[in-house]
């Protein structure tokens, strides 16, 4: 009913987010999806419907997602890029794909040099009119604009991307997809240099940590004594009460955070 009312008011595009499509579905859920989207298609008429999946690959639900009566299917391709071939093989000629190649919940800048060939490959296979570019998911998980962070270390800033910068990344990829790489050559080069600097930086790759990891042996994964012996020794060493308790870290841990929590409007 809502879609019908919006359509009557002039809505030409609809987007439905379906993260459940990347989970295990039983036959009852699959049948419900088919019934629901048949009704939504009828209500939307010739308006464009985009079906959005995220936070995982479609897996066994690939056939279901590609067979629903929608116009655009959005895919998680940040960590689910391996699903791309299966989705392309299963899609109909009328189903466009939205490529979620830009992370919507991670602050690390995208490696555009690695993403450009992915976009080019999909366009070569489907045609430019059947391909859209988008963030993996909503950008609500990110801060707004990196340019407002004047106090951050310059080296760290070069590695980060907030919501505004994510949109810039999509814009750059779009220009390349349109064959206008020259207009964004400077941005591509800056992105390449930042990615290379991060890969070399001792702030990310610490020799002492690598050496400690290399020294790990299978024997370290096993206790040398049973829990019944360790427990009283641990209680004595730590001075534990009869019923020790802790938190998951949500409570204030410092005087500064405690003052901040006490002045907040709601529970923490």
């Amino acid at each position: 009913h809502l879609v019908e009312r919006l359509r009557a008011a002039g809505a030409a595009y609809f987007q439905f987010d379906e993260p459940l499509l990347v989970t295990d579905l039983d036959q009852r859920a699959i049948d419900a999806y088919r019934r629901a989207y048949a009704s939504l298609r009828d209500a939307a008429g010739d308006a464009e419907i985009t079906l959005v999946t995220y936070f995982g690959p479609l897996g066994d639900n690939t056939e279901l997602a590609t067979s629903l009566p929608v116009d655009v299917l959005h895919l998680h391709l940040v960590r689910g890029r391996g699903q791309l071939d299966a989705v392309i093989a299963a899609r109909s000629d009328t189903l466009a794909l939205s490529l979620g190649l830009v992370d919507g919940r991670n602050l690390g800048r995208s490696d555009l040099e690695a993403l450009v060939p992915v976009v080019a490959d999909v366009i070569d296979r489907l045609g430019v009119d059947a391909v859209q570019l988008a963030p993996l998911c909503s950008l609500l998980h990110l801060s707004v604009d990196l340019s407002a962070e004047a106090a951050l270390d310059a080296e760290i800033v070069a590695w980060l991307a907030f919501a505004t910068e994510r949109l810039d990344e999509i814009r750059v990829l779009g220009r390349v997809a349109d064959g206008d790489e020259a207009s964004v050559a400077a941005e591509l080069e800056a992105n390449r240099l930042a990615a290379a600097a991060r890969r070399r930086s001792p702030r990310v790759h610490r020799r002492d940590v690598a050496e400690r990891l290399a020294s790990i042996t299978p024997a370290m994964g096993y206790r040398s004594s049973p829990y019944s012996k360790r427990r009283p020794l641990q209680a004595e060493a730590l001075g534990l009460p009869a019923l020790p308790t802790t938190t998951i870290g949500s409570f204030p841990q410092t005087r500064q955070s405690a003052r901040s929590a006490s002045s907040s409007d709601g529970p923490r």
Side-chain angles (χ1 to χ4, degrees):
H1 293 159
L2 178 59
V3 170
E4 287 174 345
R5 291 175 62 188
L6 288 169
R7 187 74 183 96
Y13 302 89
F14 293 91
Q15 175 177 315
F16 299 107
D17 286 19
E18 296 286 0
L20 280 178
L21 283 174
V22 305
T23 66
D24 295 332
L25 299 179
D26 58 24
Q27 190 58 48
R28 195 170 117 183
I30 292 172
D31 293 342
Y33 264 112
R34 297 193 188 283
R35 291 195 303 272
Y37 274 84
S39 296
L40 290 171
R41 178 79 272 174
D42 288 343
D46 60 356
E48 182 176 283
I49 296 179
T50 297
L51 173 64
V52 177
T53 66
Y54 47 82
F55 298 160
L58 287 166
D60 292 340
N61 299 323
T62 298
E63 189 278 329
L64 170 63
T66 55
S67 67
L68 294 175
V70 300
D71 303 288
V72 183
L73 175 62
H74 176 77
L75 302 172
H76 175 125
L77 297 177
V78 175
R79 297 174 191 84
R81 202 173 302 172
Q83 68 176 319
L84 195 50
D85 288 342
V87 171
I88 290 176
R91 65 175 280 277
S92 67
D93 291 339
T94 60
L95 179 64
L97 296 184
S98 170
L99 310 183
L101 288 166
V102 172
D103 207 330
R105 58 175 182 173
N106 188 303
L107 297 180
R109 180 183 294 213
S110 300
D111 184 353
L112 298 182
E113 190 175 36
L115 297 182
V116 166
V118 178
V119 175
D121 175 63
V122 178
I123 289 176
D124 286 344
R125 295 160 75 177
L126 305 185
V128 68
D129 292 336
V131 179
Q132 299 180 9
L133 303 178
L136 159 65
C137 60
S138 166
L139 298 178
L140 62 85
H141 304 282
L142 302 176
S143 300
V144 178
D145 194 329
L146 188 57
S147 65
E149 304 294 333
L152 286 181
D153 182 286
E155 183 180 26
I156 300 298
V157 168
W159 301 344
L160 301 180
F162 291 173
T164 299
E165 289 72 36
R166 289 299 187 214
L167 297 177
D168 284 337
E169 291 177 346
I170 293 171
R171 174 182 55 80
V172 171
L173 289 173
R175 292 284 179 85
V176 175
D178 288 337
D180 188 18
E181 184 171 341
S183 68
V184 291
E187 290 170 275
L188 285 170
E189 178 63 8
N191 179 274
R192 186 190 67 79
L193 292 175
R198 188 179 188 277
R199 285 193 293 267
R200 295 191 304 265
S201 174
R203 294 173 118 165
V204 177
H205 304 284
R206 291 176 48 183
R207 181 182 298 275
D208 58 328
V209 174
E211 291 173 351
R212 289 172 61 194
L213 288 172
S215 69
I216 293 175
T217 65
M220 293 179 180
Y222 298 91
R223 302 286 189 179
S224 59
S225 60
Y227 175 68
S228 59
K229 289 186 176 181
R230 298 196 310 272
R231 181 180 179 184
L233 294 174
Q234 181 189 54
E236 180 181 357
L238 299 178
L240 296 179
L243 296 173
T245 60
T246 184
T247 76
I248 61 171
S250 300
F251 295 157
Q253 302 295 316
T254 64
R255 291 180 180 178
Q256 181 179 4
S257 60
R259 287 195 297 272
S260 175
S262 64
S263 62
S264 66
D265 295 328
R268 294 176 66 85

